[in-house]
Amino acid sequence: MSSNVHDTTSLSRLFHRNSEPWINEQADQGTVFSQKTKTYPHAIRVTLPETTPTDVDKIAAARRSERAFSDTPLPLARCAGLLRSAYAALGPDVMENGQKFLRRPVPSAGGLYPLEIYALVRNVEGLAKGLYHYDSIGDALEIIGQGPWENEAEEAFHTWGFVKHAPMIICVGAVFERSQSKYGPRGYRYILLEAGHVVQNLCLAAHDVGLTSLCMGGYQDSALNRLIGLDGVEEAVVYTVALGQSGDL
């Protein structure tokens, strides 16, 4: 069933606000871990040739999800590099019509870049504990909340036990209208795709400099949005990732 073409956001808002984490306590009881894939056994098969792994191949293959972070400060320069790898404004490039266009390190439908990057900083050298917004064009961190935030985060994250020692947690916020004003309900899909690109960049950049990461979708939207100061309607968190040193070091 399609939606009203003039109603660009109500369908996605309904889905977003009704897809809070679902905890199925019986899902793992008595079940065998299984990772399924698909194959076509009667199809003609073409064996792929050997290739030499690129640097990206090596980093991606070595990346792991971390569930125990070390209580080690994150250097500010490392923090800066991660933020730039995620969503820095690049360019400007000059388009065919002469207009200047700012790019990011990720693809974005229509070049609209609907995302905003927030950092929950616990232990970063040179930064006070608090909540920060990454000004991607100004290449700076803006303090939007000072002081401890861990108690509120513990209520928000179902994975808090894994990340309570992480020096920084990145929250990817989405300003929905930026994409949906052009693409309507489908713009919501584009936003989620873009958030995935951003977090993959963060994970690969972290591994490249000896850090580790844990991507998290298990959070209470209302609690986390409230912590950051987002209304959850016009703008809301769509993805989070903890970054830091491995606790196994």
Side-chain angles (χ1 to χ4, degrees), residues 37-45:
T37 62
K38 186 175 181 179
T39 185
Y40 291 85
H42 302 297
I44 297 173
R45 299 175 65 83

Side-chain angles (χ1 to χ4, degrees), residues 99-111:
Q99 183 178 354
K100 293 183 178 180
F101 175 76
L102 289 175
R103 295 178 292 105
R104 305 297 174 96
V106 297
S108 182

